[in-house]
Amino acid sequence: MTTYELLAAPFVDFGFMRRALVACLALALGSAPVGVLLVLRRMSLVGDAMAHALLPGAALGAAVAGFSLWAMSLGGFLAALAVAVAASWLTQRTAQREDASFTALYLIALAAGVMLVSSRGSSVDLMHLLFGSVLAVDDAALLLVAGVASVSLLALAAAYRPLVVACIDPSWLRQMGAGGWAGTVLLVLAVANLVACFQALGTLMSVGLMMLPATSARFWVARIAPQMAVAALLALLSGVAGLLLSFHGEQASGPAIVLVAGGFYLLSLLFGTREGLLWQGRRGGLA
């Protein structure tokens, strides 16, 4: 097999591969920078909880309107926001920590979503909601993913400094009177991008393309803006490599993309020039 047949032919010869590639590009540009802010604010597990909380809303939207893109997206968006707001309220009103509140609520939401899909649909419907199918992305889903990515980039550009400060020193930003809206904007951006990822990767895999490149980027650069650029690049490379792996190996596309992103994380963990394990060992030996 030639290099052309291995790397280029799938995207040149097949329209569904080109649509999947465009979807991965949009997801990389929109979700990876938001993931960097979530990591900076120590909300990585919160992102995972919100991704799982999409399921009951998407399942309810499918039960009401069939497998309608907009009904499932709106339902998932509202369900994830509801879990986030409820977890924040529980944290403020009880002695329970935020991570415990999110864990309890997302488990309840996930179980409710699975039962709802099982009672109203088939095992195929459940697999589609859990794992998605980026190779089946149509024009409407592409418009949604591209729209979310565009809004995310514009919002990050317009509110970059307050969002960064809200992650580094939220107490100071609250004293300045901007803490509330900055945190809300970050939460809405996170949920919107998870909804976009859900269309391609499903509820179980959607957080992977947001968080794995973001955590990997921290091993290469220290400043936040370059971290966002590196995270977006790693997310795009994960998408391209995952699509090729799923095409040639006849594997599920979503898990393949997230698995490649996990491979980049392990490589960054070992070889990253900023706190990578091998670089730490080398500095220790030189010392």
Side-chain angles (χ1 to χ4, degrees):
M1 183 178 293
T2 65
T3 303
Y4 172 81
E5 292 174 333
L6 183 66
L7 300 180
F11 301 111
V12 174
D13 297 338
F14 299 98
F16 68 89
M17 288 291 287
R18 291 194 293 272
R19 286 194 296 272
L21 180 62
V22 173
C24 288
L25 172 61
L27 292 175
L29 292 175
S31 63
V34 174
V36 170
L37 293 178
L38 290 178
V39 172
L40 187 64
R41 197 165 180 173
R42 302 178 185 271
M43 293 177 63
S44 302
L45 291 178
V46 171
D48 183 56
M50 289 189 295
H52 289 76
L54 291 171
L55 183 59
L60 187 59
V64 172
F67 277 87
S68 165
L69 171 71
W70 300 107
M72 293 171 61
S73 299
L74 179 60
F77 181 82
L78 294 176
L81 272 184
V83 166
V85 172
S88 178
W89 183 84
L90 286 175
T91 303
Q92 294 173 5
R93 294 300 183 93
T94 68
Q96 195 171 54
R97 292 170 58 90
E98 186 178 40
D99 57 346
S101 300
F102 267 102
T103 300
L105 292 178
Y106 101 74
L107 286 173
I108 295 171
L110 181 61
V114 170
M115 290 189 66
L116 183 58
V117 176
S118 299
S119 63
R120 295 296 185 93
S122 64
S123 59
V124 175
D125 298 332
L126 180 60
M127 293 295 289
H128 174 73
L129 288 173
L130 290 178
F131 298 104
S133 180
V134 67
L135 298 180
V137 169
D138 57 13
D139 292 341
L142 275 182
L143 287 175
L144 173 64
V145 172
V148 170
S150 300
V151 171
S152 297
L153 291 175
L154 290 174
L156 289 173
Y160 176 76
R161 288 188 178 181
L163 287 173
V164 171
V165 175
C167 296
I168 297 174
D169 191 357
S171 60
W172 181 84
L173 200 63
R174 282 194 296 268
Q175 293 176 3
M176 300 297 294
W181 73 261
T184 301
V185 168
L186 178 59
L187 181 64
V188 171
L189 288 178
V191 174
N193 279 277
L194 286 171
V195 170
C197 290
F198 157 73
Q199 298 301 328
L201 303 176
T203 57
L204 293 186
M205 298 286 107
S206 59
V207 73
L209 204 59
M210 177 182 289
M211 303 311 305
L212 282 171
T215 54
S216 302
R218 292 174 63 87
F219 288 104
W220 297 103
V221 289
R223 297 180 60 188
I224 297 172
Q227 277 187 29
M228 291 181 174
V230 172
L233 176 61
L234 290 176
L236 177 58
L237 292 176
S238 299
V240 174
L243 288 175
L244 291 173
L245 177 61
S246 67
F247 181 85
H248 294 294
E250 299 182 358
Q251 302 294 324
S253 53
I257 291 172
V258 176
L259 186 61
V260 173
F264 280 128
Y265 169 76
L266 293 177
L267 289 175
S268 302
L269 177 66
L270 289 173
F271 301 105
T273 54
R274 180 177 176 265
E275 299 181 0
L277 293 178
L278 293 182
W279 280 89
Q280 288 187 36
R282 184 179 179 184
R283 286 200 300 267
L286 291 176

